[in-house]
Amino acid sequence: MEATAGLRSHLSLWIDCEKITRRPRNLLQLPQRCRGEKTRILVSGHMQLKRRPDNHRLEGLKVSCSFQNQVPGSVLDSKSLPTSLDEATILKSKSEEIEQVLDGQCVYLVGMMGSGKTTVGKVLADALGYSFIDSDKLIEDAAEGTPVAEIFKRYGESFFRDSETDVLRKLCTMQRNIISTGGGIVTRPINWKYMHKGISLWLDVPLEALARRIVAAGTKTRPLLHQESGDIYLKTLTRLTNLMTERSESYENADVRISFENIAAKLGCDDVCNLTPTVIAIEALVQIDNFLRK
């Protein structure tokens, strides 16, 4: 097996837009508003190399551009690095700012399947120095590693919901955890009693975007979807729509709502699926801070 070692490097510098005389193809494209103007641009690079005995190989490179200190700007991503240096800096700053007011309280992420609770939760946990816990994973571990879809099949949904409640009852006595919950955990009022001992955060994603994500990832691990037949996207969207109709009032019990549509509108992004987990985590920290300071 070939041994490798990782090497990461960061680079940030300011350049004047008027000094750019030509643009190499497919490298950097400036917005129309900046071309020909005297504008300063912050170019941030995050590079990762993997070292082998005989050479170094570029594993990932990400470049972000911000205009006159406005962040975030456009992002070019080669493949492996999930966030720009600017986003990471803002996330770190905001997490340090909120740490004292949060005072170790747990944060419970709720939302429909595919809304990014696990991905965003891990980013938040890393930023805050919290532990990340997936409630579904705890249930699977208690069932000797049986996947959630199989638990539904063997024991039924009621058994699974009872297990969710038992997990929350134990978790609500702890501190400094970011907890990703199952999509249907909001349907039982007793679960809200436990989650309101911390901060509950609803990741609200447009259903069309959720359907695209789930179809792309596959529905076999989704116990409420994998038996659908026919046009997979339309079937998934219909099922999600029905689930949201049943759960929408329950989701509104969350202390904080993170609307992906609102974030995309503020950033001028056409597709919420293009939002990075770090941008979503930053918005989550801002909204949690606002909630706690009311």
Side-chain angles (χ1 to χ4, degrees), residues 15-183:
I15 60 174
D16 292 328
C17 183
E18 64 178 356
K19 294 181 180 179
I20 300 176
T21 57
R22 62 186 298 271
R23 174 176 61 84
R25 189 175 184 182
N26 295 328
L27 288 182
L28 179 63
Q29 183 172 359
L30 300 178
Q32 187 66 41
R33 68 179 185 274
C34 296
R35 298 173 193 172
E37 297 181 4
K38 191 172 183 179
T39 305
R40 299 189 77 214
I41 304 173
L42 176 63
V43 179
S44 299
H46 185 158
M47 179 175 65
Q48 181 177 353
L49 297 174
K50 280 197 172 180
R51 187 173 60 210
R52 292 182 167 81
D54 56 340
N55 62 359
H56 287 80
R57 181 173 66 86
L58 180 63
E59 178 67 15
L61 172 65
K62 185 162 216 174
V63 179
S64 67
C65 303
S66 300
F67 305 95
Q68 302 288 24
N69 292 322
Q70 297 180 25
V71 179
S74 58
V75 174
L76 307 175
D77 189 359
S78 68
K79 64 170 182 175
S80 62
L81 298 175
T83 182
S84 72
L85 181 60
D86 289 338
E87 291 172 3
T89 301
I90 295 171
L91 180 66
K92 182 177 185 297
S93 175
K94 192 60 190 177
S95 63
E96 292 173 350
E97 180 182 333
I98 198 178
E99 184 176 4
Q100 187 171 10
V101 68
L102 186 57
D103 194 30
Q105 293 183 78
C106 290
V107 177
Y108 298 85
L109 299 181
V110 302
M112 294 285 282
M113 63 184 79
S115 58
K117 291 167 291 188
T118 297
T119 304
V120 175
K122 289 179 178 179
V123 174
L124 285 171
D126 184 62
L128 292 168
Y130 275 32
S131 297
F132 173 78
I133 295 175
D134 185 327
S135 65
D136 282 354
K137 182 65 166 55
L138 293 182
I139 295 171
E140 291 177 341
D141 290 344
E144 299 181 343
T146 305
V148 168
E150 187 64 23
I151 292 175
F152 265 72
K153 183 178 178 180
R154 290 184 189 179
Y155 309 112
E157 183 175 355
S158 180
F159 173 86
F160 179 79
R161 299 302 175 199
D162 290 341
S163 300
E164 281 186 322
T165 299
D166 187 54
V167 164
L168 282 184
R169 179 179 58 81
K170 296 173 182 176
L171 289 175
C172 75
T173 64
M174 303 177 184
Q175 283 195 315
R176 300 186 67 82
N177 290 320
I178 302 293
I179 300 158
S180 170
T181 67

Side-chain angles (χ1 to χ4, degrees), residues 205-275:
V205 186
L207 297 182
E208 294 82 1
L210 283 180
R212 295 201 309 271
R213 285 184 181 183
I214 292 170
V215 169
T219 61
K220 289 185 177 181
T221 60
R222 309 289 182 179
L224 297 181
L225 291 177
H226 74 278
Q227 294 179 337
E228 298 289 351
S229 59
D231 185 302
I232 188 62
Y233 172 78
L234 291 178
K235 293 288 186 178
T236 300
L237 180 58
T238 299
R239 183 59 172 144
L240 290 174
T241 301
N242 292 337
L243 287 173
M244 178 57 79
T245 299
E246 297 170 6
R247 299 173 178 174
S248 59
E249 290 186 6
S250 297
Y251 283 130
E252 289 172 2
N253 287 319
D255 298 315
V256 176
R257 171 176 173 258
I258 304 301
S259 169
F260 283 38
E261 286 185 324
N262 289 347
I263 300 174
K266 286 192 291 186
L267 297 178
C269 180
D270 295 331
D271 187 348
V272 299
C273 291
N274 292 331
L275 297 175

